[in-house]
Amino acid sequence: MSSLSSLTITALRAKLTAGEISPTDIIDDLENSNLEKDEAIGGYNSIDFEAARVMAANADLTLPLGGIPIAIKDNINVNGEPCTCASQFLVDSYIAPYDATVITKLKAAGAIPLGRANLDEFAMGSTTGNSSIKRTNNPKDLDRVPGGSSGGSAAVVAADTAIAALGSDTGGSIRQPASHCGVVGLKPSYGRVSRFGLVAFASSLDQIGPITKSVDDAALMLNALSGNDKMDSTSLEVDVPDFTVNIDQGVAGLKLGIPKEYFAAGIDPQVRKVVEASIEKLKNAGAEIVDISLPHTEYAVATYYIIAPAEASSNLSRFDGIRYGNRAENPENLIDLYRKSRSAGFGSEVKRRIILGTYCLSSGYDHKYYDKAQRVRTLIREDFNQAFEKVDAILSPVCPTAAPKHGENSDDPLKEYLADICTIAANLAGIPGISVPAGTVDSGNNTQLPVGLQILGAHLDEKTILRVAKAVEIL
Ligand code: GLN
């Protein structure tokens, strides 16, 4: 019999409501049989079984996620638990004094937060290699990265050491690790899900979303997470549909756009083959495949790497050694306290982004960089608006390559930034995107590495991308 931890939310809910298992059985299974696997994977920064057991004993099985444990990326506040952001600034010095709105909502839907999943420090990165706590390995090949920044969340779901997880996506951090680990990752539209209680990286780009073993599970979780929140002024006051309804409708009659810029040079030929095979299957299932152009794609990386660091430099100014986390000892004066605390607390990638962002915003340069980037951002958004007049959804690779080996790009940040080319435009435009497993490529040493198909939708049209993703999953 397969272990309970390998089952989807949907399958576990059927067993729970039929009375075949209890929520405590799932927690036991995660603790006894599967968690030792995490020694090899390194997906969790901490995990509190005791708190989960109390919630499991009181779980209301009539609720949509009743009794389901969910791993939480370690940059989302869960009351009473550490929230390290994988940064030495917060390790051993910060315990969350409140629940993020997504945690309140998950609990209200009956779910049980269980375990803090590793990430790149403050979610800055694409490999989880910028974590200051530990290395996370890709469950499909331990010599390779799980992707990032939600690498811990994707790895624990793929390794069956979690049922499902929450991640955050500022430039691809849910979709790209999902693609590298062979699971489903959904970035909702900007404003669909409250960001209150997510430690901010770049506030105009960040969104929280689910990483799951199936498309149905992603829809179930999105139902629980969505909705307006007075604590986040950017969360939208719009109706929340039931994302599970019509998910099985198939793709017959849908127009699916193929943006030529996302298939340009730089995409690994094996990755391209997997993505093209999936497109062919969707065509055979009745979708109309339409060639489109998103002409400003080539500026997306440059635009993102001005806006995201600019916002990060502002957001991270709250880490001053006084209000949060670790404080340097024996400072000579206030400025020295800031300098020493920040120098010791932040890792090199975070420092690089703060320096870059501060430079872009500094007087005399803000017009040259930040304002210009905002104008290009509008053009990128316009590209998508025009495309969605012609098509219902857009298909592309998630990442130009499958998961790289540990350390492969670590001495070349620019190379790592360029690999974000397929995911970051969706954040700049605020549209939803999902990565769904599409196939595998040969790593060259007898391992098959997963590759995801990315499906992008019009703003607030998560229903269509879930429907296309479901078709990919079952074809
Ligand atoms: N790789 C991108 C970056 O390093 C995206 C990170 C994210 O989405 N959090 O900024």
Side-chain angles (χ1 to χ4, degrees):
M1 193 186 99
S2 57
S3 77
L4 294 179
S5 317
S6 68
L7 300 180
T8 60
I9 297 176
T10 313
L12 287 170
R13 284 286 303 149
K15 285 185 183 294
L16 286 166
T17 50
E20 288 170 35
I21 57 167
S22 75
T24 307
D25 294 336
I26 307 174
I27 311 277
D28 284 345
D29 189 69
L30 282 167
E31 185 166 20
N32 300 335
S33 57
N34 283 319
L35 209 63
E36 65 195 47
K37 260 201 232 162
D38 198 55
E39 308 238 314
I41 306 291
Y44 286 108
N45 290 338
S46 61
I47 185 156
D48 182 351
F49 284 106
E50 286 324 301
R53 280 181 199 290
V54 174
M55 282 187 263
N58 297 309
D60 180 350
L61 298 184
T62 63
L63 295 169
L65 297 176
I68 302 293
I70 309 276
I72 311 293
K73 187 175 180 178
D74 205 1
N75 62 349
I76 298 171
N77 282 275
V78 179
N79 192 15
E81 294 201 8
C83 181
T84 69
C85 298
S87 177
Q88 289 307 311
F89 225 118
L90 296 172
V91 168
D92 294 332
S93 62
Y94 177 75
I95 298 292
Y98 69 106
D99 276 334
T101 298
V102 286
I103 301 300
T104 309
K105 281 178 172 282
L106 282 182
K107 286 179 178 170
I112 301 167
L114 178 60
R116 313 310 321 263
N118 198 18
L119 66 155
D120 287 297
E121 185 176 0
F122 286 105
M124 297 174 188
S126 314
T127 62
T128 311
N130 296 334
S131 167
S132 77
I133 296 180
K134 54 163 68 169
R135 171 170 138 172
T136 301
N137 298 319
N138 190 313
K140 311 287 178 203
D141 178 345
L142 301 181
D143 292 334
R144 289 176 187 270
V145 304
S149 64
S150 313
S153 299
V156 294
V157 175
D160 293 333
T161 53
I163 311 304
L166 283 188
S168 67
D169 190 314
T170 305
S173 279
I174 289 175
R175 291 159 287 156
Q176 184 259 30
S179 173
H180 284 349
C181 292
V183 291
V184 175
L186 169 66
K187 180 197 93 72
S189 305
Y190 189 77
R192 176 67 92 190
V193 174
S194 167
R195 295 177 297 108
F196 178 70
L198 166 70
V199 178
F201 163 8
S203 311
S204 76
L205 302 161
D206 299 339
Q207 270 292 286
I208 298 170
I211 296 183
T212 55
K213 300 186 213 268
S214 75
V215 177
D216 282 339
D217 283 5
L220 270 177
M221 287 209 26
L222 190 60
N223 278 354
L225 297 171
S226 299
N228 177 245
D229 176 17
K230 297 272 170 293
M231 302 301 280
D232 173 2
S233 60
T234 64
S235 95
L236 295 169
E237 276 186 70
V238 289
D239 286 342
V240 177
D242 182 341
F243 295 103
T244 62
V245 170
N246 292 337
I247 200 169
D248 294 307
Q249 238 177 13
V251 290
L254 283 185
K255 287 193 178 133
L256 303 178
I258 312 298
K260 61 171 188 275
E261 294 81 3
Y262 282 62
F263 291 80
I267 304 292
D268 176 89
Q270 285 200 80
V271 169
R272 176 197 291 262
K273 235 170 118 180
V274 169
V275 171
E276 285 175 350
S278 220
I279 294 171
E280 194 59 30
K281 280 191 201 158
L282 290 168
K283 187 175 169 189
N284 294 337
E288 185 185 334
I289 304 298
V290 184
D291 288 327
I292 60 165
S293 172
L294 298 166
H296 296 94
T297 301
E298 64 173 306
Y299 305 112
V301 171
T303 304
Y304 172 89
Y305 278 98
I306 289 172
I307 294 173
E311 293 185 13
S313 71
S314 166
N315 276 322
L316 269 59
S317 65
R318 77 193 61 190
F319 298 98
D320 53 8
I322 296 173
R323 284 173 288 185
Y324 298 91
N326 288 315
R327 177 177 301 183
E329 281 173 18
N330 306 321
E332 281 163 26
N333 51 41
L334 185 62
I335 298 294
D336 194 44
L337 170 67
Y338 294 156
R339 186 186 297 123
K340 282 194 175 132
S341 302
R342 287 167 72 82
S343 298
F346 292 136
S348 57
E349 183 60 28
V350 176
K351 286 179 185 157
R352 183 178 295 126
R353 307 262 180 136
I354 292 173
I355 292 167
L356 237 147
T358 307
Y359 177 77
C360 292
L361 290 176
S362 56
S363 125
Y365 290 102
D366 48 348
H367 288 298
K368 210 166 155 193
Y369 298 110
Y370 186 72
D371 294 358
K372 205 169 186 178
Q374 291 292 17
R375 281 199 285 274
V376 180
R377 180 179 190 169
T378 304
L379 296 174
I380 289 170
R381 192 181 292 132
E382 257 322 290
D383 280 357
F384 282 109
N385 287 345
Q386 283 176 18
F388 288 119
E389 279 173 18
K390 286 187 237 134
V391 297
D392 300 299
I394 293 173
L395 309 177
S396 81
V398 178
C399 185
T401 64
K405 290 211 163 111
H406 287 287
E408 215 170 285
N409 297 335
S410 54
D411 53 352
D412 187 351
L414 186 59
K415 195 167 166 208
E416 202 174 298
Y417 297 171
L418 288 171
D420 292 337
I421 178 69
C422 301
T423 48
I424 50 187
N427 301 75
L428 290 166
I431 60 172
I434 191 167
S435 172
V436 62
T440 57
V441 300
D442 191 351
S443 74
N445 56 356
N446 293 332
T447 20
Q448 292 293 313
L449 301 173
V451 167
L453 171 75
Q454 175 171 248
I455 306 153
L456 300 174
H459 190 236
L460 295 177
D461 192 14
E462 286 87 355
K463 282 196 84 140
T464 301
I465 61 172
L466 284 161
R467 183 174 148 194
V468 178
K470 183 73 193 271
V472 173
E473 186 176 60
I474 58 182
L475 282 174

